[in-house]
Amino acid sequence: MEGDLITGAQLYFILLSTFALTQVFSIGGVITNVINIAVFVKLGFNETSNISLLTLALCDLLSTILTIWGSLCVTPGFSDAELPFLPTEIAQLTGAGLSVFVFRCTAWVTAFISFERCLCILIPLKVKKWVTPKTTTVVVVTISITTIGPYIGVYWRWIFVWKFLPGRNATVLGVTVVDKPVLILMESVINIAIGAIQPIVAFVTVLVCTVFLVVYLRRSSQWRKSMASAAGKTAGVDKSSRFEPKQNISKKEEKVVRLVTSIATIFIVCYTPNTLMILHMAIFPSFSLFGQHRNTFLMVYLVSVLANSVSASVNIFIYYNMGTRYRNALRLLFHLEVSVK
């Protein structure tokens, strides 16, 4: 397209590259998140972190399934087949469109996990009273409803209809758009609230909380090193005379902080293309699917989908390497020897 930074040939190359990688990570994400769900269910729901991480695994599982389905629908061999529905049209509502809202849910669950861990450091005693398994369940359910629920409003304008195809002499299921002012306004409000404001607020929340957690971990590490050094110099001093600053927590809690920080960091890295795309669309109207910079928009979109697939598939490695209880539960699930570390 004239004036676009990306040519058609370049976009086609990017499409082929990202499509293959996205499918690989998405299929891997389905497998790893099924395992994650099984492990967290096995661990039980007495700890709030298990509930939050289970919800995150469910969101990641749904997003990877929708990504696989959406990609399949635009594959030439599948989309050109004589099916009882039009794959490219159906994918707009059941694939790419819905996956966007699931990504928003993932973002807010990650934001909640990060924010909760910050509160555990700042006001640990009060958090234990406020953040219980029951309240955590209410929060994650509310997040799911407020992020994925509004997608129902899209179906009031984009609806399923039966279409007659003269070339095939067959009636197939497709999608059509209802151009009513009220429905157009409703879709615009949903796109602004859920498609723009919510993800940016969630991204900023995760970013701020992650910075706080990283700073805390560094200070905690320095404090422990200084205490170890002081203990070596004052071997004859009663250890009970030394004390740990209030802002420092137990080693068990610190491991959880490190785990949450790792999850949040991966989210920030993988969600950045999507955030930049949203901001760019808000500032430059030509940066859209039907605008002057359509190819550039599609390139960023493809990269963001790939990044989301990566984010949804790699958490299992963090859990396994940094969570002893998760690792033991996973090994028991596969009838392997339990680690004693």
Side-chain angles (χ1 to χ4, degrees):
M1 185 174 292
E2 185 179 353
D4 206 332
L5 299 176
I6 304 298
T7 64
Q10 291 172 334
L11 179 63
Y12 183 73
F13 174 78
I14 295 170
L15 172 63
L16 293 179
S17 303
T18 56
F19 180 84
L21 290 173
T22 299
Q23 289 295 80
V24 170
F25 279 107
S26 295
I27 294 172
V30 171
I31 298 171
T32 58
N33 283 295
V34 167
I35 295 174
N36 286 339
I37 292 169
V39 171
F40 287 125
V41 170
K42 188 177 183 65
L43 288 173
F45 308 119
N46 292 327
E47 295 187 9
T48 58
S49 58
N50 290 343
I51 299 173
S52 301
L53 294 176
L54 173 63
T55 306
L56 187 62
L58 289 169
C59 290
D60 287 340
L61 175 62
L62 181 56
S63 68
T64 50
I65 291 175
L66 292 174
T67 300
I68 292 172
W69 167 245
S71 300
L72 178 64
C73 286
V74 297
T75 303
F78 187 81
S79 61
D80 296 337
E82 294 189 359
L83 301 170
F85 60 90
L86 298 174
T88 54
E89 292 188 7
I90 297 299
Q92 294 177 16
L93 291 182
T94 62
L98 181 56
S99 66
V100 170
F101 287 78
V102 178
F103 291 150
R104 305 296 184 255
C105 184
T106 300
W108 273 103
V109 172
T110 306
F112 171 69
I113 294 173
S114 304
F115 184 67
E116 178 195 6
R117 200 46 46 185
C118 290
L119 292 180
C120 287
I121 294 173
L122 294 173
I123 46 175
L125 297 179
K126 292 183 179 180
V127 168
K128 290 181 179 180
K129 295 180 181 179
W130 296 342
V131 185
T132 63
K134 183 177 180 180
T135 56
T136 300
T137 302
V138 171
V139 170
V140 295
V141 169
T142 302
I143 289 174
S144 302
I145 293 174
T146 55
T147 53
I148 302 177
Y151 191 67
I152 297 174
V154 177
Y155 284 92
W156 291 342
R157 185 171 182 235
W158 298 73
I159 59 176
F160 295 106
V161 295
W162 292 101
K163 295 183 176 181
F164 178 73
L165 303 180
R168 287 172 50 183
N169 192 29
T171 300
V172 298
L173 186 65
V175 174
T176 190
V177 182
V178 179
D179 289 327
K180 290 184 178 181
V182 175
L183 298 180
I184 295 174
L185 177 61
M186 181 185 299
E187 184 183 32
S188 299
V189 171
I190 292 174
N191 288 334
I192 294 173
I194 310 299
I197 297 177
Q198 273 199 2
I200 292 177
V201 173
F203 181 84
V204 172
T205 302
V206 175
L207 182 62
V208 172
C209 290
T210 303
V211 171
F212 173 82
L213 294 175
V214 169
V215 171
Y216 163 77
L217 287 173
R218 288 184 177 179
R219 289 182 178 179
S220 179
S221 177
Q222 292 172 357
W223 181 85
R224 293 187 186 280
K225 288 181 181 179
S226 65
M227 291 302 295
S229 177
K233 295 179 181 178
T234 58
V237 178
D238 184 8
K239 293 182 180 180
S240 62
S241 63
R242 299 191 306 272
F243 63 93
E244 186 173 350
K246 291 182 179 180
Q247 65 270 28
N248 285 275
I249 55 179
S250 66
K251 289 186 177 180
K252 178 183 176 182
E253 288 296 324
E254 186 171 316
K255 287 183 178 179
V256 178
V257 172
R258 292 184 183 278
L259 185 145
V260 171
T261 303
S262 300
I263 295 173
T265 301
I266 290 176
F267 168 82
I268 291 170
V269 173
C270 295
Y271 209 72
T272 295
N274 186 274
T275 304
L276 293 176
M277 182 176 69
I278 294 171
L279 291 173
H280 211 77
M281 289 175 66
I283 298 172
F284 303 101
S286 61
F287 183 78
S288 67
L289 182 61
F290 304 103
Q292 182 180 2
H293 298 94
R294 176 178 180 274
N295 290 349
T296 305
F297 169 82
L298 288 173
M299 180 202 70
V300 178
Y301 173 76
L302 292 171
V303 172
S304 68
V305 172
L306 171 60
N308 289 332
S309 300
V310 172
S311 177
S313 62
V314 299
N315 283 342
I316 188 173
F317 303 107
I318 298 176
Y319 301 151
Y320 187 84
N321 290 323
M322 305 183 71
T324 303
R325 293 184 67 240
Y326 178 93
R327 182 165 56 250
N328 289 338
L330 177 61
R331 295 180 72 85
L332 283 173
L333 191 66
F334 289 97
H335 305 287
L336 300 173
E337 183 180 353
V338 176
S339 173
V340 295
K341 295 182 180 179

